[in-house]
Amino acid sequence: MTQIIDGKQISKQIKDELKDKVSKYKSEGTEISMAVIMVGNDPASAVYVNNKKKACEYIGIRSLSYELPEETTEAELLELIDKLNNDPSVNGILVQLPVPKHIDDNKIIRAISPLKDVDGFHTQNVGSLCIGEKGFVSCTPAGIIQLLKRSGIEIAGKECVVIGRSNIVGKPMALLLLQENATVTVCHSKTKDLKEVTKRADILVVAIGKPKMITSEYVKDGAVVIDVGIHRNENNQLCGDVDYDDVYEKCSYITPVPGGVGPMTIAMLMNNCVESVALQMSE
Ligand code: NDP
């Protein structure tokens, strides 16, 4: 029988563990704080930022909110990041992406101190992941590893296929699975005969950004299917990159949308923020 991986419940478990760690830090006189910067007023970004602030509040992390106007210059944003980098009371710095077009997002990501880069996007952290050294890992793929492990799914030795090669999901996902001793294949828009490749997967991670593209024809019997996509369908309901109803019967485990991968991203952001304290202390 197919088991539904409950991301809401697993993320709550992680947040509760973090809450305990934060209160232990507090009892030792250490308060954790995270700066959350948003430039402009994109409604989707506002929702994400608000959810991140709520999670901070739940766990006991102090969130410092910087809501900057759309016309903020790149130089002004870099100046704020520099100030926060040098402020020892700030542990994590997050710039909500996308930033307005006149700001170079790569320049912004590179300006954040790698020790405060709780999103795990800085090239130094990406490099650390690549060679298996300590550092921050991009939150969505890190959350997927937690979903698998906490559901009791063995990764070592498994044939894993990741569809998508973005810097924030596909590539770090492949590296993390490799670190867990899986045999990993990465597919993308130029992959020939996608179905033939995905049907080999014991664990299939789908991060394409195309609503319901993955049907049962792409899935091996008994596979674990992890759906990263988030979309609104014609009835304004959330759906993923996987055609859940079509694929469900074929899988051993599947993540729903909503309530699968989504809640894990924020939980892992909180985890990175708590981890930042030890990382900064060790420097
Ligand atoms: P990107 O658009 O950056 O990457 C999509 C990837 O899918 C690319 O590598 C692209 O290939 C590949 N792709 C596109 N079409 C096909 C196709 N027909 N066949 C095979 N591969 C294809 O997306 P992201 O990685 O940022 O996000 C993916 C999805 O996950 C989105 O729906 C996004 O909203 C969601 N998301 C959800 C998060 C969460 O917290 N749940 C967090 C982040 C993202 P190529 O490189 O060749 O163009």
Side-chain angles (χ1 to χ4, degrees):
M1 210 183 104
T2 309
Q3 298 205 43
I4 299 170
I5 300 177
D6 187 346
K8 251 182 158 166
Q9 189 250 322
I10 296 174
S11 72
K12 165 97 171 44
Q13 200 179 65
I14 291 173
K15 284 193 280 187
D16 285 338
E17 289 164 14
L18 292 171
K19 204 173 176 173
D20 289 345
K21 280 192 188 167
V22 170
S23 99
K24 190 161 176 287
Y25 269 127
K26 265 194 188 144
S27 70
E28 293 162 353
T30 304
E31 193 183 24
I32 306 178
S33 66
M34 177 161 85
V36 182
I37 306 171
M38 186 172 100
V39 187
N41 40 25
D42 174 55
S45 291
V47 172
Y48 290 133
V49 163
N50 202 31
N51 288 341
K52 289 168 187 175
K53 285 194 222 160
K54 271 198 219 152
C56 282
E57 201 178 312
Y58 180 77
I59 288 163
I61 294 173
R62 189 166 67 109
S63 68
L64 310 163
S65 182
Y66 296 87
E67 282 162 24
L68 309 179
E70 179 86 18
E71 56 276 13
T72 304
T73 65
E74 190 177 275
E76 285 166 337
L77 182 55
L78 289 170
E79 197 183 322
L80 172 62
I81 292 170
D82 187 52
K83 194 182 97 188
L84 296 168
N85 279 343
N86 290 304
D87 183 343
S89 73
V90 175
N91 301 97
I93 303 173
L94 179 146
V95 178
Q96 183 64 42
L97 298 175
V99 285
K101 285 198 172 64
H102 62 275
I103 298 176
D104 178 350
D105 50 2
N106 281 323
K107 210 167 171 182
I108 298 306
I109 291 167
R110 280 197 299 269
I112 298 170
S113 159
L115 291 173
K116 298 190 178 188
D117 166 42
V118 283
D119 260 334
F121 295 164
H122 193 286
T123 46
Q124 187 174 312
N125 284 316
V126 176
S128 296
L129 171 64
C130 205
I131 59 171
E133 277 190 2
K134 236 179 151 40
F136 295 115
V137 177
S138 182
C139 301
T140 304
I144 291 170
I145 294 291
Q146 286 300 314
L147 283 181
L148 294 170
K149 286 189 170 172
R150 290 177 187 244
S151 304
I153 297 163
E154 176 99 33
I155 306 173
K158 292 288 170 64
E159 190 87 44
C160 295
V161 175
V162 179
I163 321 180
R165 56 173 165 180
S166 70
N167 290 337
I168 62 166
V169 187
K171 283 181 197 152
M173 186 74 251
L175 289 167
L176 285 171
L177 290 166
L178 197 59
Q179 219 169 62
E180 296 294 332
N181 297 317
T183 302
V184 185
T185 307
V186 182
C187 301
H188 45 77
S189 66
K190 307 290 185 293
T191 299
K192 282 188 187 146
D193 202 351
L194 184 65
K195 282 180 197 165
E196 185 271 323
V197 182
T198 58
K199 282 191 94 158
R200 297 204 298 258
D202 300 313
I203 300 175
L204 179 63
V205 181
V206 186
I208 325 173
K210 300 254 157 76
K212 295 191 180 183
M213 185 182 134
I214 298 304
T215 57
S216 56
E217 292 173 354
Y218 290 80
V219 178
K220 178 169 96 171
D221 267 326
V224 174
V225 176
I226 306 291
D227 188 356
V228 185
I230 313 177
H231 312 275
R232 289 225 171 251
N233 69 11
E234 55 287 356
N235 305 320
N236 206 30
Q237 287 162 331
L238 289 172
C239 71
D241 289 345
V242 174
D243 186 340
Y244 184 89
D245 294 334
D246 190 48
V247 165
Y248 179 86
E249 289 287 341
K250 245 184 158 177
C251 321
S252 54
Y253 290 84
I254 188 166
T255 57
V257 178
V261 173
M264 295 302 291
T265 301
I266 290 192
M268 297 317 287
L269 175 71
M270 297 298 117
N271 181 66
N272 279 351
C273 201
V274 174
E275 295 275 305
S276 74
V277 180
L279 209 65
Q280 286 152 19
M281 279 175 181
S282 71
E283 277 300 300

